[in-house]
């Protein structure tokens, strides 16, 4: 462990790398590029309107008639339901 302490102390005594002085500009340029919106406000408004219109149309569209299939969501026959296997009436 003393070797690690010695190495870290040696790093602290060394002068800074001169390339670190130029790192600020590239970091700030990257941050500025990340802050630009992916979509303009107009495009975002159009997409929002289309989504709302789709929701309204989906609720107004008549639902198809239900088929006379299984009433259970995963299609398990009523005889194999846990409540009937345990002797309880559903």
């Amino acid at each position: 462990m003393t070797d690690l302490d010695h190495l870290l102390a040696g790093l602290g005594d060394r002068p800074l790398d001169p390339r670190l002085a130029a790192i600020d500009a590239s970091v700030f340029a990257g941050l500025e590029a990340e802050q630009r919106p992916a979509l303009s406000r107009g495009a975002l408004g159009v997409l929002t309107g289309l989504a709302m219109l789709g929701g309204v149309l989906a609720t107004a569209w008549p639902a198809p008639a239900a088929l006379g299939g299984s009433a259970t969501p995963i299609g398990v026959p009523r005889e194999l339901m846990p409540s009937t296997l345990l002797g309880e009436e559903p």
Side-chain angles (χ1 to χ4, degrees), residues 28-57:
F28 286 125
L31 286 173
E32 184 180 342
E34 287 293 323
Q35 288 181 350
R36 278 189 235 125
L39 294 173
S40 67
R41 284 187 175 209
L44 191 59
V46 168
L47 289 175
T48 302
L50 286 174
M52 292 174 68
L53 179 65
V56 168
L57 290 177

